[in-house]
Amino acid sequence: MAKQKSFKNLSASPSTSMTPWLGIAIIIVLIDQITKVTITRLFSYGESLAVTSFFNIVRAHNKGAAFSFLAAESGWQRYLFTGIAVAAVVFIIYLLKRHAGQRLFCWALALILGGAIGNLIDRVLYGYVVDFLDFYVGRWHWPAFNVADMAIVGGAGLFILDELRRVGK
């Protein structure tokens, strides 16, 4: 009788290959870039489409970081955030190589890597990040975001979960 793998232990795996993790990151980059290209072809800057009573699709450009941090600066922030993203990509690849057998940790890294590369491509090509998902309540709008941002937040959530599991052991 063949032994079945248990899903209980997501934090460790005997595999030490980086290939699956890089594959996940590449899928995130592809989805992110396809959605951004679609938005830039279908919408003019600032144009919005109401989808529900709490969600719009809008074409927005973010020259800053999260929540448009430093977006109003003169342009130097493009190079700062590009440099930070390149350093993050290199460091994440190093961590993936070193910890490739830690499944949950590497899922987190792969999601963040894909998101970082997706937004890095925008910064290099356009000087800003294309955002298009606009959720709101009444007149209060959450800052617009994109697939790369969702991957980064999801990866951060998995980091927290991974750390909580480690502390619990």
Side-chain angles (χ1 to χ4, degrees), residues 48-145:
S48 178
L49 171 67
V51 178
T52 69
S53 63
F54 59 87
F55 172 65
N56 297 330
I57 297 175
V58 61
R59 180 172 169 188
H61 298 167
N62 183 358
K63 294 181 180 181
F67 304 103
S68 296
F69 176 68
L70 297 178
E73 295 299 319
S74 63
W76 59 266
Q77 72 277 23
R78 173 185 185 182
Y79 304 104
L80 173 68
F81 296 133
T82 298
I84 290 170
V86 168
V89 165
V90 169
F91 185 61
I92 290 169
I93 291 171
Y94 164 78
L95 289 174
L96 282 172
K97 184 173 180 130
R98 189 149 181 208
H99 302 281
Q102 295 178 22
R103 294 187 57 166
L104 192 55
F105 181 71
C106 288
W107 262 104
L109 289 174
L111 291 173
I112 293 170
L113 178 63
I117 293 171
N119 284 340
L120 176 62
I121 290 169
D122 285 14
R123 283 195 199 287
V124 169
L125 293 180
Y126 313 120
Y128 53 82
V129 173
V130 176
D131 289 326
F132 56 91
L133 300 169
D134 174 31
F135 286 88
Y136 60 94
V137 175
R139 292 185 175 204
W140 184 82
H141 288 254
W142 189 260
F145 58 96

